[in-house]
């Protein structure tokens, strides 16, 4: 079934999913106690609604950084199209086993390893395994509106004429819009 225009436009959902599926992983940026920004590649375990969930090792430096300052940025970039998404928000650290099991996949085990002590086995019951939920405050994304040739022509023509190149459209989903979209997805339908 094809997506309707409404499906494509509700919170940029259709577009966001297309970029995330093309990228497979994101860059998550946190802040150290000294104020330095640190980014690392991470694959989302889910990106339902407008939240992003990641399986992560709670003994890693990123957890210390997130406990100090929960503000986070997650970004995706698709080099084949130049589409991108930037998600600013707060991280919620979750070690509840039922939540971990909800997002767990066997491929994640390779990132933890079995320490051979019977406890740190690298599976979903390993106490090192936690979930980072990114709760967005703002989502900004760039949507290319022209193909590669059209973008090249637009950029070249703009360089010659002094006009501003416009090969795409910049969109922002505000906190109020995020709240509205989440309400639409969680409200029961009234008959």
């Amino acid at each position: 079934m094809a997506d309707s225009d409404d499906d494509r436009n509700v919170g940029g959902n259709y577009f966001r999913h297309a970029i995330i599926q093309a990228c497979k992983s994101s860059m998550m940026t946190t802040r150290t106690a000294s104020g330095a920004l640190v980014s690392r590649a991470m694959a989302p375990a889910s990106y339902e609604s407008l939240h992003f969930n990641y399986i992560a090792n709670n003994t890693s430096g990123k957890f210390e950084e997130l406990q100090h300052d929960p503000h986070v940025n997650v970004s995706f970039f698709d080099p084949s199209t130049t589409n991108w998404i930037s998600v600013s928000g707060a991280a919620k650290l979750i070690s509840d086993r039922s939540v971990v099991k909800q997002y767990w996949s066997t491929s994640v085990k390779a990132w933890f390893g079995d320490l051979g002590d019977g406890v740190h086995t690298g599976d979903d019951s390993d106490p090192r395994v936690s979930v980072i939920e990114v709760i967005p405050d703002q989502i900004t994304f760039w949507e290319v509106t022209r193909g590669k040739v059209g973008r090249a022509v637009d950029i070249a023509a703009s360089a010659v004429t002094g006009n501003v190149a416009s090969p795409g459209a910049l969109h922002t989903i505000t906190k109020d819009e995020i709240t509205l979209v989440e309400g639409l997805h969680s409200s029961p339908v009234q008959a």
Side-chain angles (χ1 to χ4, degrees):
M1 181 168 103
D3 295 304
S4 71
D5 287 339
D6 288 340
D7 292 337
R8 292 174 188 260
N9 292 326
V10 174
N13 202 33
Y14 173 85
F15 178 72
R16 284 184 313 99
H17 282 268
I19 292 177
I20 294 165
Q21 288 173 347
C23 297
K24 305 278 191 266
S25 65
S26 64
M27 294 298 290
M28 178 184 285
T29 304
T30 57
R31 186 181 305 276
T32 66
S34 66
L37 297 174
V38 180
S39 298
R40 81 275 295 149
M42 295 185 70
S46 80
Y47 42 91
E48 298 156 1
S49 183
L50 298 175
H51 290 215
F52 296 83
N53 294 286
Y54 297 84
I55 294 283
N57 188 333
N58 59 32
T59 64
S60 67
K62 69 181 144 292
F63 273 76
E64 185 177 312
E65 293 161 7
L66 291 169
Q67 288 168 345
H68 170 73
D69 183 351
H71 293 95
V72 66
N73 181 272
V74 175
S75 59
F76 297 84
F77 176 69
D78 179 359
S80 69
T81 62
T82 72
N83 290 326
W84 56 263
I85 301 172
S86 175
V87 180
S88 300
K92 179 179 175 184
L93 306 177
I94 305 168
S95 51
D96 180 302
R97 293 295 101 195
S98 65
V99 176
V100 168
K101 288 177 192 281
Q102 180 181 349
Y103 297 112
W104 178 260
S105 74
T106 55
S107 63
V108 173
K109 186 172 183 167
W111 297 104
F112 290 89
D114 187 339
L115 300 184
D117 62 3
V119 175
H120 301 93
T121 57
D123 63 13
D124 60 357
S125 64
D126 186 321
R128 297 174 295 167
V129 180
S130 291
V131 171
I132 299 172
E133 178 183 8
V134 176
I135 303 163
D137 290 327
Q138 179 173 299
I139 300 172
T140 306
F141 59 97
W142 174 259
E143 180 180 16
V144 171
T145 56
R146 298 178 182 194
K148 284 184 181 182
V149 173
R151 290 193 309 266
V153 168
D154 183 43
I155 292 167
S158 296
V160 171
T161 64
N163 293 330
V164 176
S166 183
L170 184 64
H171 306 280
T172 298
I173 303 172
T174 66
K175 188 170 184 84
D176 288 342
E177 291 167 328
I178 291 167
T179 301
L180 176 64
V181 170
E182 288 175 337
L184 292 174
H185 287 287
S186 64
S187 299
V189 177
Q190 299 291 325

